[in-house]
Amino acid sequence: MGNCRTFFITTLAFEVIICWFLANAGAVKQLPIQFLAEPEDVIVTKNSQFTWNCNASAINHVTIEWRKKGIMDAFTDDTERRVFVTRHGALHFNKIRADKDEGIYYCLAKDQYGSIRSRFAKLQVSRMSKEFDVVPSGNVTLYRGGQLHLTCKIKAVPLAQIWWLRNKKNLSESEDKRIIVNRLSGNLLIKNMKLRDSGRYRCVALHQDRKKFSPDVSVSVHKLDKTALPIILYSPRNVTAFANDYLVLTVAANMPVYVQWSFSNIAGHQKQPPINYRPIPLEGQNQHYIRNIRTDHNGMWTCTVIAIHNHKSVKCPPTYLEVISPPQISCHIRHFTFKLGTTGTIKIINLTSIVRPVGGVLSYECKVNGQPRPKIVWLHNGNPIHYNYQSSRHQISRHTGSDNRNDEVVSFRMNQIEDNDKGYYQIGAVMEDWSSFSIPFILTVEEHPVPNPPQNLRSIKVTAYAVTLAWDASISNLNPEIYYTIDFWPIDDPTLIYSKTTSRSEESVLIDKDLKPWREYVFVIKAWNFRTASRPSNKLIVRTAEDAPTAPPRTVKLMLISRSFIVKWERVDPLYENGQIVNYIISCTEIGTGNKEIYRAPSYSKDYKITDITPNSKYLVKIAAATSVGVGPFSRPLEIKTSLEHIRDKFAPLDMQILYINASTITFTWEIGNRSKRYLIGYQLDYRPYGLAKYKKTLRLSSNALNYSLVGLQSSTEYDISISGIYKTANESGYGPSAERIISTTLGNVSISTPNKIKKLYTNVIESKSLTVAWQRPMIADTITLTRYLLSYRPITRNINSSLMIINVEKNANSTIIHNLNPYTSYEIWVSYFVYSKYSGELSSQPTKSITVKTKQDVPESAPIIDVVEELSPGIMSVAWNAPKLANGIITMYKIRYRTQSDLDWKIETTKRNRITLKHITPAKFFECTIAAATTVGMGPSSAIKIILNETDVSSFNSSQTYPATTVNSKTVTRNVVLQSPLTIVGIICAGICTMILLAIAILYTIRRYNVNAQVKEVSSKGSAENSKKQNNVTPMPSAKFQEQNSNSKNTTQQSIGNGSLIKETQYNEGKRTNEKETKSALKRKDSMSNLSITIHQNNLSS
């Protein structure tokens, strides 16, 4: 009885201990609500009935409520209504109406602790619009071999099926592999169009037994025009794709083409397509396949369409790809644990319930991914919480995850927990059509005291990489502290939070990790007990001490200027400056002598000029940044070679003179020596009002300019003008000496208005190297006089600073001829004129609106450059070349002349490509060819002759040599060199040895055959003698043997006709009539004897 009582007391005590532990551990072992069935997206027909299920399980009773997004009122269980909630929690529609019932719905599951929300579900009513959204319009014309792409779209729920008709007949993909019909998107693609594909096309949309036909579109296919530019008939524009799916980019053109794609990300940086972008031709060269789409494929895709026959290219409009990734979310709670005798630790755990005291803090994190960036919804009992507003207890911060840049970490924090905060909490990631909610957890609020925060947080010692903190513990806590946590983060990056934990016995801590020099950090400290943490202490901002930089200056460059050079750089990365930069240290070492000089540049400078250098020497230059603590690492040494002489001492100054001057214009000219023109690359013009250096302006002029007009000047103002040449020699480039400065004063105020510009400018005659420009004479008042015209023109090239040419035309002319133009080049031309008045001097009119003229084509001035000449196989040569540099037009044809040693005359082939394959080439000692290019005007010069030598006396060419076309005679091309080659001599000796070996084999074969024939005759003669002997005897014998002997006797008699002996011909005839069978058997034995002799002969021959 005592044992039972003891056991009962022990069990009861154990249960009490367990209950106390669970209560103090902060975990409530009660499960939250879990959905068993959530609503899903549906498509229903109009006026039909539909029931949406929603079911949840929990320990206690669960109530289901339904909500429609945008409407806060809940649906009731009134069955007399058209839409109501059943007693099982399902939402029932008696009669579906599209105008009222379509939308996004969700359900709420409620119990005694709170409620949770289901995911969103969309309800749509089946329908199809009356008209097509996108249909092909107009007529489509394309060439044979092009691609036809037609689009047909119509709004329908669900999507309508699309197929196409040609001339009222269905287009079948199974009958013609060139046809691809996407029945969902409504796109039709026909590759490699043929003439028979012309006709009238229309699309058909099928939706629940309803058909709709689009208008017809006429398609015509013509023969290929090899001079035409490709025209893009279709290219994708705004494309939407899902992550982890695939995408086909289709481009259609009016002729055979191939497509090249490039990719730039959202920031606009041009780069190659992503690594899993694999352009794979799908039965053609105009479709490209992207596998396993990722979110970093977002951006702009551009393509270039290149014609196959003439390589002309056209750029496609940009394709903007948007990748959609449905949202996903997973959450966990930050839970603090502590063991007696150790410091506290932070654990990330997944709890379904948590207990917090009044005034405590709840924090947890969620990983969210989705594209585009989803909206975060914080739900309490199914209702959204408003967060991040001023003085809010609920705060959310978002930053990119460390493991995956596509993941986003969202931190949730609820401060000063109140009693009404208990219930269910969910985090949702919501997009327009998708949503994802985390597993709900329940919060239970208990009445427990919260520790007071520590006081007087301060720094005791600060170094570059460590900070020692101290604080005063609060003595008014009813529940004393157990440990402290110190949180700190850089003041310029609040998302980068670090933590350190220490016990209550310590009132100071050394933080020597995660700190960087010369950076401001924010420190806060919290006190913890068994239950929760105190409020954070006041913030302490501490800047760490300085240190020497840990990185050199960036982008170091050297620039040579005459007898000096300039060192340029960019500041050190701010993360590695480690303090305030006081100066830059520049080390300059002369390579030949080893002399080293150190220069110091101020902290604000970004360049430094080094002048005391030796001409024609090499230097190694490197630079480092320095703080008050020390000097950082030097940059990578750069090498520079100084010039041999000063460029200012090499060229003479310009001779400048004033031509015209008025109130707002100064026109001047200059002269340059012939020696200086060879190295001239431009001019630099400087002008400013005299004595006002800050208003100085600098212009860069073309090397072809010989005069210039400064317009828009102030009247009655003195101007300082200077000009210098810009030269480039083999060793250096720089500015030459300036011309003698001109100080000139503009005239007084202008008393007349600026002349009107010329209204009409046109061209009369356009040639390849000249054109005639004419204009309409301006209307001028009697008080002013026309002095001259100024014609300006320049070529339109990619170089923005193209040369500007100016021609002065007499006042009586209204046209001029421009010479020395480049063939097949576009020029921009404009004209202005000058008038003179005794009141204001010379004035310039505004230039006319420029016109663009393109000169005609001409014959090429240069020849093609042969690149590769190789032998593909015996008798087949491949020749490739580059187009002439001075083509002077569009190359329409290449003419190839070639011949071998055995050819007396040149053979001629023509092609439009820059490669040709020559067949039926006769093997010879050498092969030579030359190429000329032609435009529509005529044929240009021929290239240098390319000669391929054959040194092995076989049908291959293995060495090449190029000779000028004017110095090579094909009848005497290096034949002696081929005959004197060592390989040729070795080949002749080997051929002689092989001939002797074959002759010896033939002699041995003849002797062996003679011996075998002699043996066969000897055996035959012995058999004949024995048969004759037996026939002379009177002994009778069978008829077969008699026949055999007579046969052998006959053979022997025939072999010895020269001896004149015959053996009983009458007995032979009698035996022949007696038995045919014996005769056949004798003949068989004879055949076997012949076969034996042949076998012996073959064995002897093989041996």
Side-chain angles (χ1 to χ4, degrees), residues 400-454:
T400 304
S402 58
D403 299 335
N404 188 352
R405 63 180 181 178
N406 294 325
D407 290 343
E408 187 178 19
V409 177
V410 185
S411 299
F412 299 84
R413 183 181 180 89
M414 182 166 58
N415 301 314
Q416 299 298 317
I417 295 177
E418 301 174 354
D419 183 64
N420 57 3
D421 290 331
K422 61 185 177 182
Y424 289 101
Y425 286 86
Q426 285 176 282
I427 305 300
V430 180
M431 292 184 183
E432 183 177 358
D433 296 327
W434 295 276
S435 63
S436 177
F437 290 93
S438 65
I439 299 175
F441 69 91
I442 186 171
L443 173 65
T444 302
V445 181
E446 292 185 352
E447 288 288 346
H448 285 286
V450 178
N452 292 326

Side-chain angles (χ1 to χ4, degrees), residues 126-338:
S126 175
R127 63 183 180 275
M128 183 173 67
S129 62
K130 297 182 180 180
E131 300 294 337
F132 284 91
D133 295 336
V134 179
V135 292
S137 59
N139 299 328
V140 179
T141 303
L142 65 163
Y143 297 108
R144 183 168 56 188
Q147 304 88 34
L148 175 64
H149 190 283
L150 300 177
T151 302
C152 181
K153 291 183 180 180
I154 189 171
K155 290 182 180 179
V157 179
L159 294 177
Q161 291 187 354
I162 304 292
W163 73 86
W164 288 82
L165 304 177
R166 179 173 61 199
N167 298 329
K168 299 182 180 181
K169 294 182 180 180
N170 288 337
L171 290 176
S172 176
E173 297 177 85
S174 58
E175 296 179 0
D176 194 342
K177 299 298 183 182
R178 300 178 298 117
I179 299 175
I180 299 176
V181 180
N182 191 328
R183 302 189 184 279
L184 296 180
S185 65
N187 294 336
L188 169 66
L189 176 64
I190 303 180
K191 306 176 184 178
N192 192 16
M193 290 288 288
K194 300 180 180 179
L195 297 178
R196 66 171 183 266
D197 294 328
S198 299
R200 303 192 68 83
Y201 289 73
R202 67 163 51 180
C203 70
V204 183
L206 175 63
H207 183 266
Q208 296 181 354
D209 299 332
R210 292 178 56 195
K211 287 185 179 180
K212 193 165 188 63
F213 295 88
S214 70
D216 288 350
V217 58
S218 178
V219 176
S220 57
V221 184
H222 304 281
K223 291 184 179 180
L224 180 62
D225 182 5
K226 295 185 178 180
T227 62
L229 281 171
I231 298 176
I232 300 174
L233 302 179
Y234 171 81
S235 64
R237 300 302 297 271
N238 298 322
V239 181
T240 302
F242 289 93
N244 302 322
D245 203 349
Y246 70 92
L247 176 65
V248 179
L249 298 176
T250 302
V251 177
N254 65 335
M255 60 180 62
V257 297
Y258 60 91
V259 184
Q260 294 178 349
W261 287 89
S262 62
F263 170 73
S264 60
N265 58 8
I266 298 177
H269 301 294
Q270 191 75 18
K271 61 180 183 179
Q272 294 295 326
I275 190 171
N276 66 346
Y277 163 78
R278 298 181 181 179
I280 302 175
L282 301 178
E283 299 180 4
Q285 295 180 328
N286 60 336
Q287 284 187 310
H288 292 271
Y289 181 80
I290 306 177
R291 296 180 176 178
N292 190 21
I293 299 176
R294 298 197 309 266
T295 54
D296 56 0
H297 291 171
N298 261 343
M300 183 177 68
W301 295 74
T302 56
C303 66
T304 303
V305 175
I306 305 174
I308 295 177
H309 59 281
N310 58 12
H311 301 285
K312 295 181 179 179
S313 62
V314 177
K315 284 190 174 294
C316 308
T319 300
Y320 297 95
L321 174 60
E322 180 183 7
V323 180
I324 296 178
S325 177
Q328 295 180 355
I329 188 170
S330 62
C331 299
H332 51 262
I333 300 174
R334 298 173 63 90
H335 186 65
F336 296 86
T337 61
F338 181 79

Side-chain angles (χ1 to χ4, degrees), residues 860-877:
E861 293 186 22
S862 60
I865 302 174
I866 299 178
D867 188 13
V868 177
V869 179
E870 59 181 352
E871 184 180 21
L872 302 179
S873 61
I876 300 178
M877 301 291 291

Side-chain angles (χ1 to χ4, degrees), residues 525-551:
I525 186 171
K526 292 179 290 185
W528 286 83
N529 57 18
F530 280 113
R531 288 291 186 183
T532 185
S534 67
R535 297 190 307 273
S537 65
N538 294 330
K539 294 180 180 180
L540 175 65
I541 299 177
V542 178
R543 179 186 286 275
T544 53
E546 286 186 302
D547 195 10
T550 54

Side-chain angles (χ1 to χ4, degrees), residues 801-1059:
N801 297 324
S802 57
S803 300
L804 175 66
M805 280 69 76
I806 299 175
I807 299 177
N808 286 303
V809 184
E810 295 181 357
K811 62 180 181 180
N812 297 326
N814 64 340
S815 65
T816 186
I817 301 176
I818 305 176
H819 298 281
N820 301 324
L821 301 179
N822 296 326
Y824 203 62
T825 304
S826 297
Y827 286 89
E828 184 181 12
I829 306 172
W830 63 93
V831 67
S832 61
Y833 64 95
F834 290 84
V835 295
Y836 178 79
S837 172
K838 63 180 180 179
Y839 302 103
S840 58
E842 190 176 42
L843 291 176
S844 173
S845 70
Q846 294 293 329
T848 61
K849 184 178 180 180
S850 62
I851 62 172
T852 302
V853 182
K854 192 171 188 178
T855 55
K856 293 184 178 180
Q857 300 187 50
D858 202 352
V859 296
E861 293 186 22
S862 60
I865 302 174
I866 299 178
D867 188 13
V868 177
V869 179
E870 59 181 352
E871 184 180 21
L872 302 179
S873 61
I876 300 178
M877 301 291 291
S878 176
V879 183
W881 58 90
N882 297 323
K885 294 183 178 180
L886 300 177
N888 291 346
I890 300 176
I891 301 299
T892 58
M893 181 184 66
Y894 290 98
K895 181 178 180 181
I896 300 94
R897 297 190 304 151
Y898 67 96
R899 63 182 174 184
T900 60
Q901 178 188 10
S902 59
D903 297 330
L904 297 179
D905 298 326
W906 291 92
K907 296 181 180 180
I908 298 176
E909 294 287 345
T910 59
T911 182
K912 294 184 178 180
R913 303 178 61 185
N914 60 348
R915 175 181 288 272
I916 192 172
T917 301
L918 304 175
K919 300 180 180 179
H920 308 297
I921 303 298
T922 305
K925 297 297 182 180
F926 64 89
F927 170 84
E928 57 183 353
C929 64
T930 180
I931 303 171
T935 61
T936 56
V937 180
M939 187 72 63
S942 298
S943 65
I945 295 179
K946 189 82 171 184
I947 299 179
I948 308 300
L949 302 179
N950 179 11
E951 298 180 356
T952 59
D953 200 17
V954 295
S955 299
S956 63
F957 300 91
N958 54 12
S959 64
S960 64
Q961 193 168 358
T962 304
Y963 294 94
T966 58
T967 61
V968 176
N969 186 358
S970 61
K971 294 183 179 181
T972 60
V973 179
T974 63
R975 296 188 181 182
N976 296 329
V977 177
V978 175
L979 293 177
Q980 294 176 3
S981 175
L983 294 178
T984 306
I985 298 174
V986 173
I988 295 173
I989 295 173
C990 292
I993 294 173
C994 293
T995 304
M996 295 176 64
I997 292 173
L998 293 176
L999 182 60
I1001 293 173
I1003 294 172
L1004 293 176
Y1005 169 75
T1006 304
I1007 295 172
R1008 179 68 65 180
R1009 183 174 182 182
Y1010 177 78
N1011 293 335
V1012 171
N1013 291 336
Q1015 292 177 4
V1016 173
K1017 288 181 181 181
E1018 183 179 357
V1019 173
S1020 300
S1021 63
K1022 287 181 180 180
S1024 299
E1026 291 179 0
N1027 291 336
S1028 299
K1029 185 176 180 180
K1030 290 181 181 181
Q1031 288 176 2
N1032 291 330
N1033 295 332
V1034 186
T1035 306
M1037 59 181 62
S1039 61
K1041 291 183 179 181
F1042 180 77
Q1043 177 68 26
E1044 180 180 357
Q1045 289 178 1
N1046 286 330
S1047 176
N1048 292 333
S1049 176
K1050 181 179 178 181
N1051 293 335
T1052 306
T1053 303
Q1054 291 176 356
Q1055 294 175 1
S1056 60
I1057 292 176
N1059 297 330

